[in-house]
């Protein structure tokens, strides 16, 4: 049957660093994304006085969350995904005692969600490693971060055990390969051995994630804790065998992360990578055992588009996924992200066939240029994107995929992670703020707001205009 479960989770997703603003308020420290204009740009070593960083104010969700969550509730959200800014809880990341003001903010935020009937879906680290952990320790290449992360997780699990039942450890952990500073607080280009740096950071994050899984199940037995990856799709550019094999091997570079975190062990194909790239991981006694014993409960992932791989091309990527050759059969957004709803169904089946564990689509959406006409925004292009993707998501459910929920990325306009723009808008709710941080901050409902409300009310059955 092409229907969603009765308890299907419908909602939207944001990240603390792209929405909250208030970047030093109430004792918050500096995270790695606080020194970046956007992830496509080279980050600064520190915050430069007088330089504009769009995330420092963002959309001021720190102060407007009650108003904003009420708007989400108006669409019928039964869940809402956000992240906890690590540096709000431990400003440097390595303290022994947490910052009470930061803990109090998330108390209030999660209480507000619960009162509105929304399950908080919480990412523990969404490109938000405290900058001090890079400056002092070199980021996730250093095993000491396992201890710091575990301490952080213990504090938030104990504090929010009655408020939060769904967790994810690291956002898009596989982007340690493509945007390593944001994902892993590392700069491999500054080391003598780039691949060693990336894989060692990944290993340490795997151990930390499994330790977090263990803590979560001990402190909140009824909770579910998953991993989260960027898994937009990849096709061979042609049927040339080298393109086909190359695309397969490239896909493994992402699935390697979920293979370890979902299955609980290193896949055999990784041995060849390590040998060819002269990678020698520092694996301490007990590491492989805890990875094996405490895998992820579910796979959360982002899907925005597909790309194609041509033999010999350089491997690049950003928050939307890996970047390859254009597919001539697909249309694209104004930012060049190709729109492929059938690819969405393909990826859902690919992942469920591989793991046979529940999946959660925690990011999917389209960035576009929205024009405010009086107090209205007509965004039929967003409705078309959503309709086609939800239709294919239903097909995947009919195929047998066990799907937990769908949180559309950016239900309210926020700062783009990649480009730092406000002009690149995803939301059902328009925020009057421009790329330079100017504007009233006033919120306006777009046409897609009422459309998504009907989808949720009908549990995905009503997809017409």
């Amino acid at each position: 049957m092409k229907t969603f479960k009765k308890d299907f989770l419908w909602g939207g997703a944001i990240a603390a660093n792209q929405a909250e603003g208030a970047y030093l308020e109430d004792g918050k420290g500096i995270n790695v994304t606080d020194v970046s204009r956007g992830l496509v740009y080279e980050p600064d070593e520190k915050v430069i006085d007088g330089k504009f960083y769009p995330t420092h104010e963002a959309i001021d969700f720190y102060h407007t969350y009650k108003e904003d969550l009420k708007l989400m509730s108006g669409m019928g959200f039964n869940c809402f995904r956000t992240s906890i800014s690590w540096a709000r809880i431990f400003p440097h990341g390595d303290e022994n005692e947490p910052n009470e003001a930061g803990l109090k903010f998330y108390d209030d935020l999660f209480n507000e969600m619960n009162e509105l009937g929304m399950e908080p879906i919480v990412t523990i680290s969404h490109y938000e490693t405290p900058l001090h952990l890079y400056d002092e320790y070199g980021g996730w290449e250093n095993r000491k971060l396992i201890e710091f992360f575990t301490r952080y997780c213990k504090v938030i699990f104990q504090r929010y055990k009655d408020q939060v039942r769904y967790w994810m450890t690291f956002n898009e952990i596989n982007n340690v390969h493509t945007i390593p500073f944001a994902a892993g607080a590392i700069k491999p280009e500054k080391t003598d051995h780039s691949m060693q740096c990336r894989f060692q950071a990944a290993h340490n994050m795997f151990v930390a994630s499994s330790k977090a899984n263990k803590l979560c199940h001990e402190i909140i037995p009824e909770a579910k804790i998953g991993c989260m990856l960027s898994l937009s799709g990849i096709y061979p550019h042609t049927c040339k065998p080298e393109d086909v094999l190359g695309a397969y091997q490239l896909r493994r570079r992402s699935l390697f992360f979920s293979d370890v975190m979902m299955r609980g062990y290193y896949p055999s194909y990784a041995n060849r990578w390590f040998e060819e790239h002269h990678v020698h991981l520092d694996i301490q006694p007990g590491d492989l055992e805890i990875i094996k014993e405490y895998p992820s409960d579910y796979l959360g992932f982002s899907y925005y588009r597909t790309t194609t791989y041509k033999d010999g091309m350089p491997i690049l990527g950003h928050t939307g996924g890996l970047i390859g050759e254009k597919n001539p059969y697909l249309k694209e957004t104004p930012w060049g992200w190709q729109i492929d709803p059938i690819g969405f169904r393909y990826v859902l089946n690919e992942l469920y066939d591989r793991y046979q564990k529940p999946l959660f689509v925690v990011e999917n959406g389209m960035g576009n240029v929205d024009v405010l006409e009086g107090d209205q925004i007509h965004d039929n292009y967003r409705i078309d994107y959503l309709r086609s993707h939800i239709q294919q998501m239903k097909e995947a459910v009919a195929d047998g995929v066990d799907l937990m929920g769908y949180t559309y990325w950016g239900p309210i306009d926020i700062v783009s992670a990649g480009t730092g723009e406000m002009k690149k808008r995803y939301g059902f709710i328009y925020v009057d703020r421009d790329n330079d941080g100017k504007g009233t901050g006033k919120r306006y409902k777009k046409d897609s707001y009422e459309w998504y409300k009907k989808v949720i009310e009908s549990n995905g059955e009503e997809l017409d205009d």
Side-chain angles (χ1 to χ4, degrees):
M1 295 177 63
K2 299 176 186 177
T3 57
F4 298 107
K5 299 176 182 178
K6 290 182 179 179
D7 59 351
F8 194 78
L9 293 167
W10 289 102
I14 62 171
N17 68 88
Q18 294 172 250
E20 287 179 1
Y23 96 106
L24 291 181
E25 195 160 331
D26 293 330
K28 177 186 169 293
I30 297 174
N31 288 318
V32 291
T33 41
D34 289 330
V35 294
S36 173
R37 177 71 173 80
L39 300 183
V40 300
Y41 305 106
E42 181 69 21
D44 298 321
E45 292 294 324
K46 61 180 181 179
V47 174
I48 298 173
D49 290 342
K51 182 173 179 177
F52 175 63
Y53 297 90
T55 59
H56 287 192
E57 293 184 7
I59 64 165
D60 199 31
F61 184 74
Y62 192 80
H63 298 109
T64 65
Y65 69 87
K66 289 187 178 182
E67 168 195 347
D68 293 337
L69 290 175
K70 188 174 181 181
L71 285 166
M72 307 302 166
S73 178
M75 281 182 279
F77 282 21
N78 60 19
C79 72
F80 186 78
R81 178 189 173 215
T82 189
S83 62
I84 294 175
S85 178
W86 187 348
R88 286 204 193 279
I89 312 304
F90 289 97
H92 288 99
D94 60 355
E95 297 94 338
N96 288 317
E97 297 298 326
N99 171 32
E100 176 58 29
L103 289 169
K104 177 65 166 55
F105 168 71
Y106 292 106
D107 263 333
D108 295 342
L109 178 65
F110 300 147
N111 279 337
E112 190 72 16
M113 289 186 207
N114 290 153
E115 288 177 11
L116 291 170
M118 289 185 244
E119 292 274 3
I121 314 293
V122 176
T123 312
I124 297 170
S125 182
H126 192 129
Y127 299 156
E128 287 153 351
T129 304
L131 184 64
H132 175 76
L133 298 184
Y134 166 75
D135 291 336
E136 183 68 21
Y137 303 96
W140 274 102
E141 191 180 10
N142 191 323
R143 285 188 63 92
K144 289 184 178 180
L145 268 71
I146 299 173
E147 174 191 347
F148 303 144
F149 184 78
T150 305
R151 182 185 303 152
Y152 163 50
C153 288
K154 185 175 182 179
V155 166
I156 60 175
F157 292 153
Q158 289 177 333
R159 182 74 171 227
Y160 308 124
K161 63 180 182 295
D162 296 324
Q163 297 161 289
V164 181
R165 298 190 300 164
Y166 296 95
W167 301 84
M168 286 173 284
T169 49
F170 297 100
N171 181 71
E172 296 182 333
I173 186 173
N174 52 317
N175 282 342
V176 165
H177 275 297
T178 52
I179 40 177
F181 186 63
I186 55 173
K187 292 188 176 179
E189 69 277 8
K190 292 191 173 184
T191 69
D192 295 331
H193 194 337
S194 172
M195 294 302 287
Q196 174 73 30
C197 176
R198 286 176 165 87
F199 278 113
Q200 187 61 57
H203 174 76
N204 293 338
M205 293 169 83
F206 293 152
V207 174
S209 184
S210 287
K211 284 178 176 284
N213 295 347
K214 179 177 185 293
L215 277 172
C216 183
H217 289 307
E218 290 171 350
I219 297 170
I220 324 173
E222 71 278 13
K224 299 293 184 185
I225 183 164
C227 57
M228 195 286 189
L229 279 75
S230 171
L231 290 172
S232 292
I234 303 165
Y235 301 130
H237 189 63
T238 71
C239 56
K240 178 182 176 184
E242 289 83 355
D243 289 356
V244 175
L245 181 61
Y248 179 73
Q249 291 175 328
L250 181 57
R251 187 59 164 172
R252 275 178 162 177
R253 284 188 57 156
S254 288
L255 296 177
F256 161 75
F257 289 80
S258 48
D259 281 352
V260 175
M261 300 175 84
M262 295 289 283
R263 291 172 168 168
Y265 56 87
Y266 277 86
S268 58
Y269 61 79
N271 294 329
R272 180 169 181 173
W273 290 354
F274 297 156
E275 181 179 348
E276 291 180 348
H277 292 288
H278 308 289
V279 170
H280 303 283
L281 296 180
D282 174 19
I283 299 178
Q284 294 294 311
D287 284 0
L288 298 182
E289 288 77 9
I290 197 160
I291 289 171
K292 178 70 174 178
E293 192 170 352
Y294 296 98
S296 301
D297 295 330
Y298 65 90
L299 173 56
F301 69 100
S302 60
Y303 176 93
Y304 291 101
R305 55 175 177 78
T306 55
T307 191
T308 76
Y309 176 81
K310 182 185 289 187
D311 181 42
M313 69 181 298
I315 297 171
L316 303 171
H318 53 45
T319 55
L322 293 166
I323 304 169
E325 295 287 330
K326 298 269 187 184
N327 187 330
Y329 300 101
L330 300 176
K331 296 179 181 179
E332 61 186 47
T333 74
W335 274 264
W337 293 20
Q338 294 201 290
I339 301 168
D340 187 1
I342 292 176
F344 189 28
R345 177 184 176 185
Y346 179 95
V347 167
L348 283 159
N349 275 277
E350 171 196 32
L351 298 176
Y352 191 65
D353 285 352
R354 194 175 186 98
Y355 301 118
Q356 295 292 298
K357 283 187 177 183
L359 306 181
F360 198 158
V361 180
V362 295
E363 290 184 30
N364 171 242
M366 107 176 306
N368 215 307
V369 179
D370 294 335
V371 178
L372 184 63
E373 301 174 11
D375 61 354
Q376 295 183 318
I377 301 98
H378 303 298
D379 59 342
N380 287 336
Y381 40 84
R382 184 167 291 108
I383 293 171
D384 291 341
Y385 178 97
L386 263 166
R387 179 190 296 109
S388 62
H389 282 75
I390 293 173
Q391 284 174 336
Q392 292 301 317
M393 193 164 66
K394 289 176 69 175
E395 293 290 344
V397 169
D399 293 334
V401 171
D402 183 358
L403 191 59
M404 297 168 57
Y406 176 83
T407 53
Y408 175 87
W409 178 255
I412 184 169
D413 293 342
I414 56 178
V415 174
S416 166
T419 62
E421 295 173 288
M422 280 297 299
K423 183 180 179 181
K424 185 182 182 185
R425 299 177 182 273
Y426 284 81
F428 307 123
I429 300 160
Y430 184 95
V431 178
D432 183 24
R433 194 174 289 269
D434 66 16
N435 285 356
D436 298 318
K438 298 175 182 177
T440 66
K442 187 175 178 181
R443 275 61 166 157
Y444 299 87
K445 297 177 184 177
K446 306 177 189 179
D447 288 352
S448 55
Y449 180 99
E450 294 296 333
W451 185 86
Y452 194 47
K453 179 180 179 179
K454 288 195 306 179
V455 171
I456 295 173
E457 285 176 346
S458 66
N459 197 27
E461 293 303 309
E462 181 56 68
L463 297 178
D464 294 332
D465 289 333

